[in-house]
Amino acid sequence: GKDPYYHAGAYYIQEPSAMLPASVLGTKPGEFVLDMCAAPGGKATRIAEDLKGEGLLVANEINTERSRALLRNLERCGAGNVVILNEDPAHMTKTFKCFFNRIIIDAPCSGEGMFRRDPFAPKSWEKFGPSSCVPIQTNILGYADEMLMPGGSIVYSTCTFGEAENEDRINDFLEKHPNYEIVPHRELSGVTHDDEGM
């Protein structure tokens, strides 16, 4: 974080697992994309880069303090054609009905994936475990459905391991929205491979 290239916006530091959802999203120039839970901005900076100055990224963060970090990171990386919101997704559905080609949701979660690097994560998990996160995740997915245009795609991710916040959320969403289907993600260097190369 002290490297001048970082402060000049030449790169953004994050773990490989955090980079994966934005890669899977597969944004193309000219699309309208929503990053629904965007702070601190790693996925948003990647999406803005993929847009190549065409289309629109709406980067939303409901938490005011975290939305400031989102703004700093997008500004530092020189992201254009971006609208940054500090809004409840429930309110966004009125303005953005069937608007987006792609929506990425890095949902608020119990954070089990943070245990190894954040000493406060286990205490947070005890206080805000899956039972408090599941209703929020369910609501966010429902709002995404309202804002996605027909034929669009949603990428849902968390930094936790529990089925209740991952597989169960997707299965519940598919039961309530039978017009959706799970599709394999595109080939990604370092993630997918052909069997002959193994």
Side-chain angles (χ1 to χ4, degrees):
K2 294 182 179 179
D3 188 327
Y5 286 108
Y6 169 74
H7 289 286
Y11 62 87
Y12 184 94
I13 302 168
Q14 59 183 330
E15 294 185 8
S17 61
M19 294 188 287
L20 186 60
S23 296
V24 169
L25 189 65
T27 301
K28 295 179 175 53
E31 293 183 325
F32 296 154
V33 182
L34 170 61
D35 186 345
M36 196 181 283
C37 312
K43 294 165 187 66
T45 57
R46 168 60 192 270
I47 293 164
E49 181 182 341
D50 288 344
L51 284 172
K52 301 186 186 317
E54 301 174 27
L56 176 69
L57 167 62
V58 175
N60 181 63
E61 176 55 49
I62 194 170
N63 180 291
T64 303
E65 189 59 38
R66 288 175 52 83
S67 69
R68 292 187 186 109
L70 172 65
L71 172 63
R72 283 192 303 272
N73 285 321
L74 284 166
E75 282 183 336
R76 186 176 64 249
C77 291
N81 57 308
V82 177
V83 174
I84 299 171
L85 299 179
N86 173 218
E87 187 60 79
D88 185 327
H91 300 152
M92 294 172 63
T93 59
K94 300 176 182 114
T95 303
F96 296 109
K97 194 87 168 164
C98 298
F99 184 81
F100 296 102
N101 300 100
R102 300 176 194 267
I103 297 176
I104 189 166
I105 302 166
D106 188 27
C109 68
S110 61
E112 294 167 353
M114 307 295 281
F115 283 9
R116 67 178 173 80
R117 68 182 184 105
D118 183 351
F120 299 105
K123 290 288 183 194
S124 177
W125 186 89
E126 289 174 1
K127 188 174 181 181
F128 307 105
S131 61
S132 65
C133 297
V134 165
I136 296 167
Q137 295 156 352
T138 300
N139 287 339
I140 289 172
L141 280 162
Y143 301 138
D145 169 62
E146 294 184 50
M147 291 186 278
L148 190 71
M149 66 172 59
S153 59
I154 297 172
V155 169
Y156 174 86
S157 66
T158 70
C159 60
T160 198
F161 306 120
E163 286 185 22
E165 297 178 74
N166 293 296
E167 292 88 346
D168 291 354
R169 283 314 89 234
I170 299 304
N171 290 333
D172 178 66
F173 179 80
L174 292 173
E175 282 178 20
K176 293 174 181 170
H177 304 88
N179 54 319
Y180 284 82
E181 63 179 338
I182 295 175
V183 296
H185 63 73
R186 63 192 177 86
E187 294 292 313
L188 298 169
S189 177
V191 176
T192 52
H193 59 82
D194 62 337
D195 291 332
E196 293 175 16
M198 292 300 289

